[in-house]
């Protein structure tokens, strides 16, 4: 067929998934290679979604998988799953080496099917134990498939609308979503109420009725939600205590997506059942598996007569060609080290996407491995979700610019505002740069905000040109990193972070010359470190024992008690000094004046490991040469602007510093 005929046949004949058909031609994809796709018109795209739904994990164009499948099709394409076949046996042995504690595979052909098998297993085990009306818990925002049973356990009401009535015997619990906590709490300030809600649901359902709980290890389609630390061990312990099975849906996250072969490996838990699908064969063939422990398997062999085995079948679970594709896919992942690569590149992707937090309508950026989400809001303060049509417009603009991103699609009322990214494991640093730049461009074009030029220009600079080592007598020597090392300034709201591959922070007295407000106006040109116009001087820090102001709105957070002791270059030098000697309000910035609260002079700050603490300090002896009874007072008013400036000529190596009061000596 020619191009026109193909497009017309697609428009007239195909009922596309999740699409409101308007009679207008849609995209028709023709070819893929690596992370690149080409459509019928020859336009090239960078696919940041691994096939749109996070499944082409090893990238397009894998000839070795195609050849392995072709050979198997010639040898034996299929035989019913009540008998075995060679590639299925080979794949099972290879996969189970990565899954200690799990011992059995049940083959089917989709994620929905894999989850349906898990529900039937849990219900049958409960029935054999004497529970006639078992309950399975599921979580808000999780998605488990498109069949009626799977939809009955999906916490995305817009996907369920109109398809009811749904199956009884399922009960919902709140999502573990720190950015939109169901309990109105903030990350780090809670007692894992979202985990406690699981036990409350078990108690509410009645003693012994809860047969299992099915959760996504990391919620994918519901907004890329990574549970807080401690959540999974707590949930696993609750279910074990009540005799319920833990079913983990790893249809998206399994097979290396999160930087571990299975996402639950990162949380140190042992599930009873795990479901896998999308990445099992990287979509080169349709195949899914339900993994179980030996205990679950044996529990379904203990009945009598018709109840003495698992009475279930999946037609295409017997596809030998699909098993061959799965085995070759896993061999590629092992051979090329793609699981570790997914973890490394995932961290780089998350860092790059986090630069979008500078945008006033980006509320949160989160993810694990190569599964990341960017949540759009109307306001950072209110966190009110951006409307779905505007999120759609951002994704559409990215596609126009040549990058395919995903989004939460008609799933959660008022909550379809997350753009998601899940590129293939073979993604490169250059691809990640393209994804990040395209996202910023699309946000700018659609939402009407632009990164100011002076901030866009300060992405790369060399500290040797800004913070030269002092050579004049009495000038502390800074320790910039080795010549040739370049730090990059990554933007965050109200703060900045220095990034470099091996060392995320400058070491021992390096020049932190942007002390407040998150705007890098200190170095519009790369040759000098000029004073900030209204925020005080850009001041290189003395090397030993001095506080370092964290650049968060100018407030002095260098020595709160029970906080990590990261405010000074070396722990061995952070003794015997008084905060009020160094901590003064920022000049010419009334909002910040008086924000920092120096501790009383009677306390001494010391370090223990990575913790800071205060201990009583005897009054210091009068300075030598000063009459007894007279103590030196420290100015409470801020120094004048520009009091501590670096020479504006880049080739000058002498640095002028303000006179800092010497710390008192302890007796």
């Amino acid at each position: 067929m020619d191009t026109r005929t193909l497009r017309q046949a697609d428009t007239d004949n195909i009922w596309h998934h999740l699409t409101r058909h308007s009679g207008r031609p849609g995209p028709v994809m023709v070819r893929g290679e690596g992370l690149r796709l080409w459509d019928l018109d020859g336009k090239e795209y960078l696919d940041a979604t691994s096939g749109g739904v996070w499944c082409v994990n090893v990238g397009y164009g894998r000839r070795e998988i195609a050849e392995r499948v072709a050979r198997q099709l010639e040898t034996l394409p299929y035989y019913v799953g009540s008998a075995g076949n060679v590639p299925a046996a080979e794949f099972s042995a290879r996969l189970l080496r990565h899954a200690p504690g799990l011992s059995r595979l049940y083959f089917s052909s989709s994620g929905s099917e894999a989850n349906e098998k898990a529900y039937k297993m849990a219900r049958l085990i409960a029935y054999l134990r004497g529970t006639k009306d078992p309950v399975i818990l599921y979580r808000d925002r999780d998605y488990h498939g498109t069949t009626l049973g799977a939809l009955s356990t999906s916490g995305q009401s817009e996907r369920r609308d109109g398809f009811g009535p749904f199956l009884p015997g399922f009960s919902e619990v709140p999502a573990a979503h720190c950015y939109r906590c169901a309990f109105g709490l903030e990350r780090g300030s809670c007692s894992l109420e979202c985990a406690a809600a699981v036990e409350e649901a078990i108690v509410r359902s009645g003693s012994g009725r809860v047969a299992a709980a099915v959760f996504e290890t990391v919620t994918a389609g519901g907004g890329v939600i990574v549970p807080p630390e401690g959540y999974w061990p707590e949930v696993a312990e609750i279910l074990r205590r009540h005799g319920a099975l833990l079913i983990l849906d790893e249809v998206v996250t399994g097979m290396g997506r999160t930087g571990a072969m299975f996402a639950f490996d990162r949380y140190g838990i042992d599930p009873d059942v795990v479901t896998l699908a999308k990445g099992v064969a990287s979509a080169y063939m349709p195949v899914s598996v339900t993994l179980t422990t030996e205990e679950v398997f044996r529990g379904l062999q203990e009945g009598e007569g018709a109840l003495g085995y698992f009475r279930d079948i999946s037609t295409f679970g017997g596809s030998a060609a699909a098993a061959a594709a799965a085995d070759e896919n896993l061999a590629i992942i092992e051979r090329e080290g793609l699981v570790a690569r997914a973890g490394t590149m995932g961290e780089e992707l998350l860092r790059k996407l986090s630069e979008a937090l500078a945008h006033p309508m980006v509320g949160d950026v989160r993810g694990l491995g190569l599964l990341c989400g960017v949540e759009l809001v109307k306001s950072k303060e209110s966190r009110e979700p951006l409307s779905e049509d505007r999120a759609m417009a951002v994704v559409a603009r990215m596609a126009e610019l040549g990058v395919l991103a995903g989004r939460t699609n008609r799933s959660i009322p008022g909550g379809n505002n997350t753009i998601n990214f899940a590129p293939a494991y073979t993604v490169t640093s250059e691809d990640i740069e393209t994804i990040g730049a395209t996202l910023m461009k699309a946000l700018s074009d659609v939402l009407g905000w632009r990164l100011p030029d002076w901030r866009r220009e300060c992405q790369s600079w060399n500290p040797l040109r800004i913070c030269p080592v002092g050579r004049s007598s009495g000038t502390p020597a800074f320790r910039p990193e080795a010549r040739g090392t370049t730090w990059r300034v990554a933007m965050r709201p109200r703060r900045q972070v220095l990034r470099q591959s091996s060392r995320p922070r400058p070491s021992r007295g390096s020049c932190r010359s942007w002390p407040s407000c998150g705007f890098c106006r200190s170095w519009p040109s790369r040759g000098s470190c000029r004073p900030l116009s209204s925020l005080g001087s850009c001041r290189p820090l003395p090397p030993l024992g001095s506080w370092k102001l964290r650049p968060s709105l100018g407030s002095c957070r260098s020595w709160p008690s029970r906080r990590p002791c990261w405010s000074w270059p070396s722990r061995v030098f952070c003794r015997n000094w008084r905060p009020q000697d160094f901590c003064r309000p920022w000049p010419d910035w009334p909002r910040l004046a008086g924000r920092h609260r120096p501790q009383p002079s009677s306390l001494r700050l010391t370090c223990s490991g990575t913790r800071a603490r205060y201990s009583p300090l005897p009054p210091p002896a009068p300075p030598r040469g000063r009459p007894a009874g007279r103590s030196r007072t420290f100015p409470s008013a801020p120094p004048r602007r520009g009091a501590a400036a670096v020479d504006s000529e880049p080739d000058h190596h002498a640095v002028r510093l303000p006179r800092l009061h010497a710390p008192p000596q302890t007796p």
Side-chain angles (χ1 to χ4, degrees), residues 42-366:
K43 181 174 180 178
E44 180 181 343
Y45 300 90
L46 192 163
D47 182 7
T49 63
S50 296
V53 288
W54 319 320
C55 53
V56 190
N57 291 352
V58 297
Y60 300 103
R62 288 288 187 167
R63 187 176 299 276
E64 52 267 60
I65 299 179
E67 292 174 349
R68 174 81 180 272
V69 171
R71 290 195 303 271
Q72 187 60 45
L73 288 172
E74 292 176 352
T75 305
L76 177 70
Y78 173 88
Y79 191 77
V80 66
S82 56
N85 62 69
V86 172
E90 292 174 339
F91 173 66
S92 65
R94 189 188 297 272
L95 180 63
L96 288 174
R97 287 200 297 267
H98 299 279
L102 301 171
S103 62
R104 299 284 176 164
L105 276 74
Y106 191 99
F107 282 97
S108 48
S109 58
S110 73
S112 300
E113 262 194 285
N115 284 320
E116 290 277 3
K117 309 307 179 189
Y119 303 165
K120 292 169 79 172
M121 292 173 186
R123 282 189 165 187
L124 184 53
I125 288 175
Y127 181 83
L128 293 174
R129 291 176 178 174
T131 303
K132 306 305 181 184
D133 54 348
V135 173
I136 294 178
L137 304 181
Y138 68 94
R139 197 168 55 187
D140 180 35
R141 283 183 172 255
D142 282 1
Y143 176 72
H144 301 294
T146 189
T147 57
L148 278 178
L151 272 181
S152 298
T153 58
S154 291
Q156 300 181 5
S157 61
E158 287 188 347
R159 287 183 178 268
R160 295 158 51 110
D161 288 347
F163 296 125
F166 294 99
L167 303 183
F170 298 103
S171 180
E172 184 178 282
V173 298
H177 192 357
C178 293
Y179 186 69
R180 298 191 180 280
C181 179
F183 305 93
L185 303 172
E186 293 291 334
R187 183 187 295 273
S189 65
C190 69
S191 301
L192 293 177
E193 281 79 359
C194 49
V198 175
E199 186 157 33
E200 292 171 6
I202 293 174
V203 173
R204 189 168 56 248
S205 297
S207 176
R209 284 193 62 206
V210 174
V214 55
F215 299 147
E216 286 186 273
T217 315
V218 175
T219 301
V224 188
I225 302 167
V226 181
E229 184 179 356
Y231 174 83
W232 277 121
E234 181 71 15
V235 168
E237 172 58 25
I238 289 169
L239 295 174
R240 186 201 61 77
R241 193 163 59 243
H242 290 275
L245 300 179
L246 173 57
I247 303 172
L248 289 182
D249 181 340
E250 297 228 0
V251 168
V252 174
T253 57
M255 306 303 294
R257 170 64 60 186
T258 64
M261 184 58 72
F262 307 104
F264 68 79
D265 287 337
R266 303 189 64 141
Y267 297 102
I269 57 175
D270 297 312
D272 301 289
V273 182
V274 178
T275 58
L276 308 171
K278 294 179 184 291
V280 172
S282 286
Y284 280 77
M285 289 291 283
V287 59
S288 63
V289 296
T290 304
L291 285 167
T292 75
T293 62
E294 192 68 15
E295 183 181 358
V296 170
F297 173 75
R298 294 295 175 192
L300 294 174
Q301 314 297 315
E302 295 173 354
E304 297 179 357
L307 297 180
Y309 62 98
F310 186 46
R311 305 179 320 282
D312 186 88
I313 187 172
S314 174
T315 297
F316 291 108
S319 172
D327 188 48
E328 190 63 33
N329 175 72
L330 183 52
I332 291 171
I333 290 173
E334 291 175 338
R335 185 167 61 247
E336 299 182 8
L338 294 183
V339 173
R341 180 179 175 81
T344 301
M345 302 310 293
E347 293 175 1
E348 185 173 337
L349 176 63
L350 189 62
R351 285 196 300 267
K352 186 63 182 177
L353 294 176
S354 294
E355 294 180 9
L357 284 168
H359 194 289
M361 300 178 80
V362 174
D364 193 24
V365 176
R366 51 187 178 258

Side-chain angles (χ1 to χ4, degrees), residues 315-466:
T315 297
F316 291 108
S319 172
D327 188 48
E328 190 63 33
N329 175 72
L330 183 52
I332 291 171
I333 290 173
E334 291 175 338
R335 185 167 61 247
E336 299 182 8
L338 294 183
V339 173
R341 180 179 175 81
T344 301
M345 302 310 293
E347 293 175 1
E348 185 173 337
L349 176 63
L350 189 62
R351 285 196 300 267
K352 186 63 182 177
L353 294 176
S354 294
E355 294 180 9
L357 284 168
H359 194 289
M361 300 178 80
V362 174
D364 193 24
V365 176
R366 51 187 178 258
L368 188 66
L370 283 173
L371 179 62
C372 299
V374 176
E375 182 165 350
L376 306 181
V377 295
K378 294 181 180 179
S379 162
K380 289 181 186 290
E381 289 72 25
S382 68
R383 299 187 181 182
E384 181 181 356
L386 195 67
S387 62
E388 183 173 1
D389 59 339
R390 300 199 75 189
M392 289 173 60
V394 173
V395 173
R397 178 58 179 151
M398 291 189 70
E400 292 175 2
L401 296 170
V403 173
L404 300 178
R407 63 178 180 84
T408 309
N409 185 6
R410 299 182 180 93
S411 303
I412 303 154
N416 301 315
N417 61 322
T418 301
I419 301 174
N420 53 63
F421 300 87
Y425 304 167
T426 54
V427 65
T428 65
S429 296
E430 291 74 18
D431 295 332
I432 289 174
E433 288 292 328
T434 301
I435 292 169
T438 305
L439 172 64
M440 293 300 290
K441 170 68 174 170
L443 291 171
S444 172
D445 291 349
V446 174
L447 304 181
W449 180 87
R450 207 170 282 279
L451 193 68
D453 289 342
W454 54 267
R455 289 182 71 183
R456 276 185 282 156
E457 290 171 358
C458 63
Q459 293 297 309
S460 295
W461 56 280
N462 191 316
L464 287 170
R465 284 189 272 176
I466 298 178

Side-chain angles (χ1 to χ4, degrees), residues 593-630:
R595 278 259 185 109
H596 33 284
R597 309 203 192 304
Q599 300 298 321
S601 59
S602 60
L603 297 180
R604 177 177 66 187
L605 180 66
T606 59
C607 283
S608 175
T610 57
R611 297 285 181 179
R613 67 182 180 87
Y614 286 100
S615 57
L617 178 70
R624 184 177 301 176
R626 190 178 298 276
R630 292 182 58 190

